[in-house]
Amino acid sequence: MTFIEPGLSVRNGFAEGPLADTALSRAAHASQRLDDLQEQAPTMTDSQVRDGVHRALRRFTQEQPPTCQIDSITALIRRGVRIDWPVPDRLPCA
């Protein structure tokens, strides 16, 4: 096991600890938000869909997501393309 910092270590190529758990939790919440958004999109305005995409990405990255990424995902949802955001059980490390 390699300790990266308090709350984060690497074992067998996967991150472990509270920080890794938090990252996986953020990914799961973002995935759920996108799923919910895609179900509700037909009854929403373009700006509501765009805002929902922005919130989901911001939840995941904890930063301001790039405008081009928000616009691209919003356009895909509007065209009916299903966005899948799989969340692994464990966080792999490069």
Side-chain angles (χ1 to χ4, degrees), residues 31-49:
S31 176
Q32 185 60 51
R33 281 185 175 203
L34 280 177
D35 283 345
D36 294 345
L37 179 65
Q38 291 175 90
E39 295 296 322
Q40 299 168 0
T43 63
M44 300 170 76
T45 66
D46 288 342
S47 59
Q48 287 173 321
V49 174

Side-chain angles (χ1 to χ4, degrees):
M1 179 182 312
T2 304
F3 289 97
I4 304 298
E5 62 181 79
L8 183 65
S9 60
V10 177
R11 183 186 313 188
N12 298 329
F14 292 95
E16 295 181 343
L19 294 177
D21 295 342
T22 300
L24 286 172
S25 177
R26 282 196 322 268
H29 280 77
S31 176
Q32 185 60 51
R33 281 185 175 203
L34 280 177
D35 283 345
D36 294 345
L37 179 65
Q38 291 175 90
E39 295 296 322
Q40 299 168 0
T43 63
M44 300 170 76
T45 66
D46 288 342
S47 59
Q48 287 173 321
V49 174
R50 188 178 190 287
D51 182 59
V53 169
H54 176 266
R55 289 173 185 266
L57 293 177
R58 182 153 181 129
R59 170 82 177 176
F60 178 65
T61 63
Q62 295 186 308
E63 296 179 351
Q64 180 66 29
T67 301
C68 60
Q69 187 178 27
I70 296 168
D71 293 342
S72 176
I73 293 173
T74 300
L76 289 171
I77 290 172
R78 277 296 181 206
R79 280 188 261 154
V81 175
R82 185 77 185 162
I83 308 293
D84 288 323
W85 190 311
V87 180
D89 295 333
R90 300 183 336 175
L91 189 63
C93 292

